Amino acid sequence: MNTSMVKSKFLSHPEDLGVVAVGFSGGQCKPGVDAAPSALIESGLLTQLRDELNYKLHGHDTVHSYTDLVPREDPPFRNMKNPKAVSSVTQRLCDQVYEHAKEGRMVLTLGGDHSIAIGTIAGSAKATRERLGREIAVIWVDAHADINTPETSGSGNVHGMPVSFLTGLAKEEKPEYFGWLKPEHLISVKKLVYIGLRDVDPGEKRILRENGIKAFSMFDIDRYGIGRVVEMALAHIGADTPIHLSFDVDALDPMWAPSTGTPVRGGLTLREGDYICESVHLTGSLVAVDLVEVNPSLAPEVELGAHETVRAGCSLVRCALGESLL
Ligand SMILES: [Mn+2]
């Protein structure tokens, strides 16, 4: 048993934690984010989850690099960079997450860039449909909406597109370019909630508006406070829905998490980030967590920036998995 007093509503083995460490950075152009899982593990995250939160870990002894899946030639397709690599890595990751989730375990994925959420969310959506006959909700905590389609994206980096593929707003038939995503892998735009947005492209603003997607930006957090925002986000999802939390460390202000590929000022404090994770844990509805975009090699001008970012990431994960202050 873990020490948390919260009873899980949807996991048959809530004390079992499937860990998938994803050393992959192909969804964007800056090397280093693939080193995050090792840095998080070396700083003691998994030991803490085992010894302090009493989880029984599964799959934690390997950091996956997926080098066998990265083709020598991978030219852009529909404006996407490294499309074949990202497609096949996320497809494999989908299977990995699915294998844990179908056993009724909590699943923790350590990224990696945010493109990997295509795989993690697809895997947990499929397993939850099969196991419980339910759709999952997704809480996407991020400075960015990551909902560009290949056509609206300026950069072509797939880490800015995962939500459009997961909601079916972006479609592709060819299996080697995300055509492996089937209806059982997808999520509803109605069960998607953003928290922390502050750098949203014009095309993405249109997509959010046209699809009525619930999004709480930093403006809303300033206006209502983090407590009320999380309450409204959870009310939107509804009490009887399994939750997949996808947390991009760039949601935090660069003051707390400078070592990330696309930092944006004016973000969440570490406590606000922890609070989101603590609150989601308290619902008892959490079935999976992603922590992404920690890049220990990027820490411009900030002494110990990488160390601080890794520490912040560990804190977020521990809070989501049941650590409490008292
Ligand atoms: Mn992101």
Side-chain angles (χ1 to χ4, degrees), residues 18 27 39 67 76 94 99 102 117 144 147 154 156 160 183 189 197 228 278 281 292 308 311 319:
T67 41
C94 171
E99 287 301 318
K102 78 173 169 53
H144 313 88
I147 198 167
V189 288
L197 301 185
R228 183 81 185 102
E278 290 162 344
H281 176 82
V292 300
E308 284 302 305
R311 266 183 69 196
C319 288

Side-chain angles (χ1 to χ4, degrees), residues 114 140 142 146 248:
H114 220 164
W140 194 278
D142 205 314
D146 297 349
D248 188 322

Side-chain angles (χ1 to χ4, degrees), residues 22-313:
V22 182
F24 181 69
S25 62
Q28 48 86 65
C29 297
K30 294 176 186 167
V33 68
D34 45 301
S38 302
L40 292 159
I41 293 167
E42 277 161 25
S43 83
L45 175 61
L46 298 182
T47 316
Q48 292 158 5
L49 297 178
R50 191 188 61 211
D51 298 345
E52 291 163 31
L53 295 175
N54 298 323
Y55 281 98
K56 185 168 170 230
L57 307 183
H58 303 264
H60 52 289
D61 36 18
T62 319
V63 176
H64 304 274
S65 61
Y66 306 97
T67 41
D68 58 316
L69 297 177
V70 177
R72 198 170 297 175
E73 298 278 317
D74 197 2
F77 175 78
R78 284 178 59 189
N79 178 43
M80 291 184 277
K81 291 176 182 154
N82 312 318
K84 282 185 175 155
V86 183
S87 177
S88 41
V89 167
T90 52
Q91 185 174 13
R92 168 90 53 94
L93 178 53
C94 171
D95 292 338
Q96 294 177 289
V97 169
Y98 172 80
E99 287 301 318
H100 289 301
K102 78 173 169 53
E103 302 296 329
R105 297 172 187 160
M106 177 79 80
V107 188
L108 169 65
T109 303
L110 303 173
D113 71 71
H114 220 164
S115 69
I116 68 165
I118 295 174
T120 64
I121 291 174
S124 69
K126 181 181 171 192
T128 307
R129 274 196 178 89
E130 284 181 11
R131 206 164 60 76
L132 303 168
R134 286 171 186 273
E135 284 191 40
I136 55 165
V138 171
I139 302 182
W140 194 278
V141 186
D142 205 314
H144 313 88
D146 297 349
I147 198 167
N148 272 300
T149 64
E151 286 67 32
T152 65
S153 166
S155 69
N157 293 325
V158 180
H159 78 155
M161 309 177 195
V163 184
S164 73
F165 280 102
L166 287 164
T167 51
L169 294 171
K171 286 193 186 67
E172 176 55 50
E173 300 270 292
K174 295 191 178 69
E176 70 273 33
Y177 297 117
F178 304 103
W180 60 268
L181 283 166
K182 303 296 178 211
E184 69 263 28
H185 297 121
L186 303 188
I187 58 166
S188 161
V189 288
K190 295 190 182 65
K191 294 276 182 188
L192 166 66
V193 184
Y194 287 102
I195 302 177
L197 301 185
R198 58 191 181 277
D199 185 10
V200 181
D201 299 335
E204 293 183 300
K205 288 183 182 173
R206 201 182 56 241
I207 292 171
L208 295 180
R209 252 196 326 268
E210 285 174 357
N211 293 281
I213 294 170
K214 199 72 169 171
F216 297 95
S217 69
M218 291 310 298
F219 177 86
D220 298 302
I221 293 163
D222 292 338
R223 172 181 267 184
Y224 300 109
I226 192 68
R228 183 81 185 102
V229 162
V230 171
E231 199 178 301
M232 291 189 284
L234 293 173
H236 178 77
I237 287 169
D240 57 347
T241 309
I243 298 174
H244 186 123
L245 174 66
S246 200
F247 204 117
D248 188 322
V249 84
D250 76 20
L252 300 184
D253 191 271
M255 190 179 288
W256 280 271
S259 304
T260 188
T262 49
V264 190
R265 296 186 303 168
L268 299 170
T269 65
L270 177 58
R271 261 310 305 161
E272 287 169 334
D274 281 350
Y275 179 85
I276 295 168
C277 295
E278 290 162 344
S279 302
V280 172
H281 176 82
L282 286 175
T283 63
S285 298
L286 187 64
V287 296
V289 186
D290 312 326
L291 176 72
V292 300
E293 300 284 357
V294 171
N295 188 336
S297 72
L298 299 174
E301 302 136 34
V302 185
E303 222 175 309
L304 301 173
H307 177 66
E308 284 302 305
T309 310
V310 167
R311 266 183 69 196

